[in-house]
Amino acid sequence: MEKFAFERPFIKRLSSGMPSKFGMKTKIEPITVIDDNLVKDLINKYGSPVFVLSEKTIRKTFQGAKRAFTTRYPKVQFAWSYKTNYLDAVCRVFHQEGVWAEVVSGFEYEKAVRNNVSGDHIIFNGPDKSKDDLKKAILNDSPIHIDHFDELYCIIDIAEESDKIPKVAIRVNMDTGIYPQWDRFGFNYENGEAWDALNRIMLSGKLDLIGLHTHIGTFILSSDAYRQAAAKLADLAVGLERKYGHVVKYIDLGGGFASKSNLKGAYLPGTDTAPSFDEYADAITSSLINSQIKPENLPTLILETGRALIDDAGYLLGTVLANKRLADGRRSTILDIGVNILFTSFWYDHSIIPAQPFSEHTEETAIYGPLCMNIDVLREAIDFPPLIKGDHVVINRVGAYNMTQWMQFITMRPNVIIIDGNNKPFIIRNKESVETIISQEKIPPHLQ
Ligand SMILES: *Cc1c(COP(=O)(O)O)cnc(C)c1O
């Protein structure tokens, strides 16, 4: 039998892990295996830290989301939000599932093209589309979601010089009871700006208005906000039909569904508060089918769901570097995972879970990363078992926004692995080397 590591006895003041009004906290179990691969084997083979994605979980989550909508509405199309995780392998899993691409920059547009997504299946969003980007998108028949009047005039300008008719939608922002209101993107519904944009598009005679779009925010915990958003877009669609006899092909409700991660400051865990896909689907589809839109004109419902489709599929594996007592006697544990690669730790209280069986003793512990920087804190204070140098940890629900927002800073970004449907791991992004970083640098002659 393996000997337990000695840990000095201590008297513990109960300050966290106390029962809440719902009872005792749930006991955590170690995560030793991900899709049949031992965590310790993955670390030995691919290094520490390492990001791991489960292809099975991605597909299963997507199929669940799709089912929630297609059982309630006749025409549904998902578009993968590239900025949530644009590693090509991840995008291709979604594209294999029949998901279009939703991009918000010229760079992302290029990535979607290289992933063989046909132009008419790349939705082009965002406030920064250069004239060249717009020309390319128009040539490829991509739906362009217009963000502001300057962009609208630019598209009309391009249309005048070309024989292609740009396919456009407008992004609409609106009051859905979610505050602060996201009113910096698109045209406002309540103050009439959205109608102003629609009228200009219709009267220009040069653009093909194919849809209406909104993205009301992110991590929206209220399905009712979507009910209101869908109703307002349906109202615009009905108005267009009345005024111009024009029928839009789709209504795009954007992304923003909450994942099950724990938001900082939330009283209850994300697993208890995030609405299910069924709840979101109920709100959106009932709003559309109960609107005044004629049944024969019912638009395709497009969804640009990001974090809720991928968060659960991502894991970050790491190793304990050291333990320390802080000046006030509190325990701290230093991991090789910094906030530079776990950007979402600024918003989420991530669960940090030991990757081997652990002692029942727990102590309030601050969990730090390896960066020589005071803000490199993964958790200020959690009830944590005493791990020792070399032990491994798993941080789950990290699939969204980390592999796109990460920074190299004083270290290099680690390997990213996907485990396929047969539980076989593949590297999908190589870890960076000193070479990767300095190959971008140049030394002027006088410093040679
Ligand atoms: C970021 C973004 C999404 C995805 O948002 P999630 O909150 O991750 O679901 C969808 N549409 C647009 C326009 C976005 O900017």
Side-chain angles (χ1 to χ4, degrees):
M1 200 183 115
E2 216 180 318
K3 259 169 72 178
F4 289 112
F6 175 76
E7 182 68 15
R8 69 157 177 78
F10 52 81
I11 295 170
K12 179 179 162 192
R13 182 170 52 138
L14 282 175
S15 51
S16 60
M18 291 280 283
S20 72
K21 69 176 179 185
F22 303 104
M24 289 302 289
K25 71 188 167 75
T26 358
K27 189 170 181 301
I28 53 165
E29 297 289 338
I31 297 183
T32 55
V33 179
I34 299 170
D35 288 359
D36 236 16
N37 286 261
L38 286 173
V39 167
K40 98 170 167 291
D41 291 350
L42 290 168
I43 288 180
N44 284 340
K45 185 148 181 221
Y46 300 106
S48 178
V50 57
F51 277 101
V52 176
L53 288 153
S54 159
E55 187 176 333
K56 270 194 224 166
T57 308
I58 299 176
R59 291 188 194 270
K60 201 174 98 211
T61 309
F62 171 69
Q63 283 155 12
K66 184 177 163 189
R67 197 175 317 110
F69 282 90
T70 53
T71 49
R72 289 171 170 84
Y73 194 79
K75 290 182 276 180
V76 179
Q77 178 62 52
F78 280 82
W80 175 238
S81 156
Y82 263 46
K83 76 175 187 296
T84 309
N85 189 324
Y86 51 53
L87 295 180
D88 287 339
V90 170
C91 297
R92 283 166 190 244
V93 171
F94 283 108
H95 299 325
Q96 264 188 4
E97 293 283 338
V99 178
W100 294 2
E102 184 274 323
V103 304
V104 289
S105 68
F107 161 68
E108 288 192 344
Y109 189 93
E110 196 53 42
K111 261 189 151 259
V113 170
R114 284 164 189 247
N115 281 329
N116 307 318
V117 184
S118 73
D120 55 336
H121 293 171
I122 306 176
I123 294 174
F124 201 174
N125 279 316
D128 171 25
K129 310 179 190 85
S130 70
K131 192 161 185 179
D132 283 343
D133 293 338
L134 289 169
K135 280 184 181 163
K136 200 191 305 175
I138 291 166
L139 215 57
N140 281 340
D141 280 326
S142 300
I144 300 169
H145 290 182
I146 306 173
D147 190 78
H148 43 70
F149 283 110
D150 288 312
E151 186 174 295
L152 170 57
Y153 302 144
C154 184
I155 295 172
I156 292 178
D157 202 29
I158 297 171
E160 261 162 10
E161 296 159 6
S162 104
D163 38 349
K164 275 271 186 185
I165 298 176
K167 296 192 166 21
V168 300
I170 60 163
R171 175 160 174 175
V172 182
N173 69 66
M174 58 182 76
D175 185 359
T176 57
I178 297 293
Y179 307 105
Q181 201 179 319
W182 279 28
D183 56 4
R184 56 174 284 186
F185 302 110
F187 303 92
N188 186 254
Y189 176 86
E190 285 81 15
N191 73 7
E193 203 179 47
W195 260 115
D196 199 16
L198 292 175
N199 286 327
R200 282 176 201 280
I201 290 169
M202 293 310 298
L203 296 174
S204 82
K206 298 195 176 63
L207 312 182
D208 184 10
L209 178 69
I210 57 172
L212 296 165
H213 172 237
T214 189
H215 172 64
I216 58 176
T218 195
F219 218 98
I220 305 292
L221 289 164
S222 152
S223 56
D224 192 62
Y226 285 95
R227 186 187 305 278
Q228 296 188 40
K232 286 181 177 175
L233 291 188
D235 186 58
L236 293 178
V238 169
L240 281 166
E241 217 254 283
R242 266 196 211 128
K243 182 163 174 180
Y244 295 100
H246 182 76
V247 175
V248 292
K249 295 197 176 67
Y250 65 82
I251 280 183
D252 179 343
L253 264 293
F257 299 161
S259 69
K260 297 189 192 73
S261 286
N262 306 313
L263 273 188
K264 273 190 193 297
Y267 188 60
L268 289 170
T271 41
D272 291 351
T273 48
S276 63
F277 287 122
D278 291 288
E279 286 172 84
Y280 288 121
D282 250 346
I284 291 170
T285 58
S286 70
S287 217
L288 293 181
I289 60 177
N290 295 321
S291 72
Q292 292 304 309
I293 298 176
K294 295 196 189 105
E296 66 272 23
N297 294 341
L298 213 56
T300 297
L301 167 60
I302 295 184
L303 297 150
E304 304 169 345
T305 313
R307 73 174 76 239
L309 290 182
I310 188 94
D311 227 8
D312 274 6
Y315 301 83
L316 181 51
L317 281 42
T319 305
V320 175
L321 298 178
N323 288 293
K324 258 189 187 184
R325 290 282 158 194
L326 302 175
D328 63 2
R330 258 187 321 140
R331 185 185 175 91
S332 73
T333 292
I334 306 168
L335 302 180
D336 61 358
I337 295 169
V339 291
N340 62 322
I341 57 166
L342 193 63
F343 214 77
T344 50
S345 53
F346 292 119
W347 303 288
Y348 293 153
D349 278 338
H350 280 292
S351 309
I352 301 171
I353 301 152
Q356 53 282 305
F358 50 88
S359 119
E360 286 202 7
H361 286 291
T362 56
E363 186 179 354
E364 186 178 306
T365 307
I367 311 272
Y368 296 135
L371 308 179
C372 201
M373 197 171 69
N374 211 35
I375 61 162
D376 191 24
V377 182
L378 297 184
R379 296 296 302 268
E380 289 286 350
I382 52 169
D383 212 33
F384 203 62
L387 301 193
I388 55 168
K389 181 177 159 63
D391 277 351
H392 299 311
V393 297
V394 175
I395 304 182
N396 63 1
R397 301 207 170 94
V398 301
Y401 294 104
N402 286 303
M403 284 155 254
T404 50
Q405 290 189 294
W406 52 4
M407 288 182 284
Q408 167 250 322
F409 193 42
I410 59 165
T411 60
M412 287 157 296
R413 280 166 284 208
N415 278 322
V416 182
I417 309 299
I418 200 164
I419 302 178
D420 78 355
N422 300 317
N423 302 327
K424 193 165 156 22
F426 296 86
I427 293 186
I428 58 168
R429 189 180 192 275
N430 270 321
K431 67 173 183 233
E432 293 166 344
S433 66
V434 174
E435 217 25 71
T436 324
I437 311 302
I438 60 176
S439 66
Q440 293 302 106
E441 296 192 26
K442 296 231 184 312
I443 300 176
H446 72 285
L447 297 176
Q448 297 273 353

